Amino acid sequence: MKTVRLAALLLFAIAVPGAGAGNQPHPVLDPLAANGEWKLLEPVRTFGPDNLYEEIDGEAELFLPYGMKRLTVAVLGRTARPGSEVRLELFRMASPREAYGIWSQYRHPDQEVLRIPPSEAVVSDASADFFRGETFVRIRSKPGNGSRNDVVGISSEIVALLTGSGSPPEEAKALDDLPGRISGSILYQKRAMLGYECLAPGFEAKFSTANASGHYLLLPPAADGGSGRKARLARELPAYREMSPALSAARIPSGNLWMTPEGGCVIAVAGKISRDQAGPLLSSFARRLKGVCRPAP
């Protein structure tokens, strides 16, 4: 009876306003409640773009550019372990790419990564972050004995309940294979890269080789075929210049920015890097993008 009442409470609390939404089940919380292992400790709360700041004030500006549609927050505990507490945040994003983009903002070098097929979770003894499909999941546990088991256990259950891919976008996979790429440094940026709005949206990764260090950048195909992008880069990047039909450059605070078109994309390396050093890196970059950078339709 308690399990049935909990499932009913969850369903009522997370119903999304709108035509026909009152009886929609929740694909994650309902099964968690139904199996009896987890119990709800607080009423479930939901937030949209207009009131997201009420729950994560100071972080809302990070999520909104990635098309956050709804945040569902639940606080649960293990039925068999009194005192346990897990805060679950389910962010419904505009697309799997945006869900990956938010996840990448919380992914840093030297963090522990746990493979929970088909997703990859960044974990600690009291936290887990991962995405699958259009959902970014953030889990935080009250520190104490068993907290790691709680976050890993509930993460495994949630991954199995979500649908969609847990794999990064193709562009991120291409960056992952580049020379000297620093593990955990790949980002999908919607607002700016290296401080410049004209370089976004795009993918970024840090690298360090024997001869150079800096950032790889990948700007996906532009809807206008790239003509507007080229003019904006020339207008907004400091000391922008065309070195050849296939190479342009700019001078930014972190050093030189070397850019070249590849298919419908623009690829770049940035840092204290000479033209001679940039050439082999850009060539290697281009080889790994075959089939990825098709022009926008």
Side-chain angles (χ1 to χ4, degrees), residues 219-230 264-266 294-297:
L219 282 62
D224 65 357
S227 58
R229 170 191 282 166
K230 184 176 181 180
C265 299
V266 172
R294 296 176 289 273

Short mmCIF file of all heavy atoms in Angstrom, two decimals, residues 219-230 264-266 294-297:
data_model
loop_
_atom_site.label_atom_id
_atom_site.label_comp_id
_atom_site.label_asym_id
_atom_site.label_seq_id
_atom_site.Cartn_x
_atom_site.Cartn_y
_atom_site.Cartn_z
N LEU A 219 34.21 24.44 -34.97
CA LEU A 219 32.94 25.13 -35.19
C LEU A 219 32.14 24.34 -36.21
O LEU A 219 32.58 24.20 -37.37
CB LEU A 219 33.19 26.55 -35.71
CG LEU A 219 33.60 27.63 -34.70
CD1 LEU A 219 34.95 27.29 -34.04
CD2 LEU A 219 33.69 28.98 -35.38
N PRO A 220 31.00 23.76 -35.83
CA PRO A 220 30.20 22.96 -36.75
C PRO A 220 29.69 23.78 -37.93
O PRO A 220 29.76 25.02 -37.92
CB PRO A 220 29.04 22.46 -35.87
CG PRO A 220 29.54 22.59 -34.47
CD PRO A 220 30.42 23.79 -34.48
N PRO A 221 29.16 23.11 -38.95
CA PRO A 221 28.66 23.84 -40.13
C PRO A 221 27.64 24.90 -39.76
O PRO A 221 26.78 24.70 -38.91
CB PRO A 221 28.02 22.72 -40.97
CG PRO A 221 28.77 21.49 -40.59
CD PRO A 221 29.07 21.65 -39.12
N ALA A 222 27.75 26.05 -40.42
CA ALA A 222 26.83 27.16 -40.19
C ALA A 222 25.65 27.07 -41.15
O ALA A 222 25.78 26.59 -42.28
CB ALA A 222 27.55 28.49 -40.38
N ALA A 223 24.49 27.53 -40.70
CA ALA A 223 23.27 27.42 -41.51
C ALA A 223 23.37 28.21 -42.81
O ALA A 223 22.76 27.85 -43.82
CB ALA A 223 22.07 27.90 -40.69
N ASP A 224 24.15 29.29 -42.82
CA ASP A 224 24.26 30.13 -44.01
C ASP A 224 25.39 29.70 -44.93
O ASP A 224 25.75 30.42 -45.86
CB ASP A 224 24.44 31.59 -43.62
CG ASP A 224 25.75 31.85 -42.88
OD1 ASP A 224 26.49 30.87 -42.63
OD2 ASP A 224 26.03 33.01 -42.56
N GLY A 225 25.96 28.53 -44.67
CA GLY A 225 27.07 28.05 -45.48
C GLY A 225 28.41 28.61 -45.08
O GLY A 225 29.43 28.25 -45.66
N GLY A 226 28.43 29.50 -44.10
CA GLY A 226 29.69 30.00 -43.58
C GLY A 226 30.03 31.41 -43.99
O GLY A 226 30.99 31.99 -43.46
N SER A 227 29.25 32.02 -44.89
CA SER A 227 29.61 33.37 -45.35
C SER A 227 29.45 34.38 -44.22
O SER A 227 30.32 35.26 -44.03
CB SER A 227 28.72 33.76 -46.54
OG SER A 227 27.34 33.69 -46.18
N GLY A 228 28.38 34.28 -43.47
CA GLY A 228 28.18 35.20 -42.36
C GLY A 228 29.18 34.98 -41.25
O GLY A 228 29.65 35.92 -40.61
N ARG A 229 29.54 33.72 -41.01
CA ARG A 229 30.53 33.41 -39.98
C ARG A 229 31.87 34.04 -40.32
O ARG A 229 32.53 34.63 -39.45
CB ARG A 229 30.68 31.90 -39.85
CG ARG A 229 31.84 31.47 -38.97
CD ARG A 229 32.09 29.99 -39.08
NE ARG A 229 31.14 29.24 -38.28
CZ ARG A 229 30.95 27.92 -38.39
NH1 ARG A 229 31.61 27.24 -39.30
NH2 ARG A 229 30.08 27.31 -37.62
N LYS A 230 32.31 33.90 -41.54
CA LYS A 230 33.61 34.44 -41.93
C LYS A 230 33.66 35.95 -41.71
O LYS A 230 34.64 36.48 -41.19
CB LYS A 230 33.90 34.11 -43.39
CG LYS A 230 35.28 34.55 -43.85
CD LYS A 230 35.54 34.10 -45.28
CE LYS A 230 36.93 34.52 -45.73
NZ LYS A 230 37.21 34.09 -47.13
N GLY A 264 32.18 21.66 -44.00
CA GLY A 264 31.37 22.79 -43.59
C GLY A 264 31.80 23.39 -42.27
O GLY A 264 31.20 24.35 -41.80
N CYS A 265 32.83 22.81 -41.65
CA CYS A 265 33.30 23.27 -40.34
C CYS A 265 34.44 24.28 -40.47
O CYS A 265 35.02 24.47 -41.53
CB CYS A 265 33.81 22.08 -39.51
SG CYS A 265 32.60 20.80 -39.15
N VAL A 266 34.75 24.90 -39.36
CA VAL A 266 36.00 25.63 -39.20
C VAL A 266 36.74 24.95 -38.05
O VAL A 266 36.16 24.73 -36.98
CB VAL A 266 35.77 27.12 -38.87
CG1 VAL A 266 37.09 27.79 -38.50
CG2 VAL A 266 35.14 27.82 -40.06
N ARG A 294 30.05 17.67 -42.75
CA ARG A 294 29.28 17.89 -43.97
C ARG A 294 28.64 19.27 -43.92
O ARG A 294 28.18 19.72 -42.86
CB ARG A 294 28.21 16.82 -44.11
CG ARG A 294 28.78 15.41 -44.28
CD ARG A 294 27.67 14.38 -44.32
NE ARG A 294 27.06 14.24 -43.00
CZ ARG A 294 27.51 13.42 -42.08
NH1 ARG A 294 28.59 12.68 -42.32
NH2 ARG A 294 26.92 13.34 -40.90
N PRO A 295 28.58 19.96 -45.06
CA PRO A 295 27.95 21.29 -45.06
C PRO A 295 26.51 21.22 -44.58
O PRO A 295 25.83 20.21 -44.76
CB PRO A 295 28.01 21.71 -46.54
CG PRO A 295 29.15 20.90 -47.10
CD PRO A 295 29.13 19.59 -46.37
N ALA A 296 26.05 22.29 -43.93
CA ALA A 296 24.67 22.33 -43.44
C ALA A 296 23.72 22.28 -44.62
O ALA A 296 23.98 22.87 -45.69
CB ALA A 296 24.45 23.60 -42.63
N PRO A 297 22.57 21.57 -44.49
CA PRO A 297 21.60 21.49 -45.60
C PRO A 297 20.98 22.84 -45.89
O PRO A 297 20.87 23.69 -45.04
CB PRO A 297 20.57 20.49 -45.08
CG PRO A 297 20.69 20.54 -43.58
CD PRO A 297 22.14 20.84 -43.31
#
